[in-house]
Amino acid sequence: MLKIGNVSDLQEEFIKNLKYYRNEKKISQEKLAESCDCATGTIGCIECGRTLPSFEMIDKIATALGVHPADLFLRNASSTVRNTKSVLKTKLLPQIEDFIEKEL
């Protein structure tokens, strides 16, 4: 873990989303730490901005919370991407195929 001084905007967003998903799932810091195979204090230090998690820890946290790692930086990012892909496949793609058939 990297120890830091000031909390960046990105880190603030990460912390806010980590707490949001942890509280939404009703998981304590202790239970999350256990799921991530780390000390309870590690989760506390991440949540208060004293340490930055490694990529491996971000992945473990996301897995334990049942979310995509991107959701810890931008809440609901993965569902937004899925929804966008769905709209493109179900609405835009048929229109493009129809246009191609008519025009080519």
Side-chain angles (χ1 to χ4, degrees):
M1 301 273 169
L2 175 66
K3 296 193 186 279
I4 57 157
N6 294 330
V7 177
S8 71
D9 290 344
L10 182 61
Q11 186 181 9
E12 281 183 27
E13 193 67 22
F14 178 88
I15 292 166
K16 181 175 77 174
N17 291 328
L18 168 56
K19 289 178 181 180
Y20 170 83
Y21 287 116
R22 190 173 59 75
N23 289 325
E24 183 182 69
K25 308 279 184 181
K26 296 179 174 56
I27 298 174
S28 66
Q29 285 184 351
E30 182 178 4
K31 185 69 176 168
L32 181 58
E34 184 179 303
S35 296
C36 295
D37 194 31
C38 69
T40 303
T42 301
I43 300 299
C45 287
I46 291 169
E47 285 192 1
C48 72
R50 285 192 290 162
T51 59
L52 293 173
S54 65
F55 288 119
E56 179 183 6
M57 182 57 70
I58 291 169
D59 188 50
K60 286 180 179 182
I61 290 169
T63 299
L65 295 175
V67 300
H68 190 280
D71 293 331
L72 294 171
F73 294 94
L74 179 63
R75 193 175 307 162
N76 298 317
S78 61
S79 63
T80 300
V81 168
R82 277 194 303 275
N83 292 342
T84 301
K85 285 181 180 178
S86 176
V87 168
L88 290 173
K89 285 180 183 177
T90 61
K91 297 192 181 199
L92 188 58
L93 189 56
Q95 290 177 3
I96 292 171
E97 289 172 343
D98 187 50
F99 175 80
I100 291 170
E101 286 298 317
K102 288 179 182 176
E103 298 297 321
L104 299 179

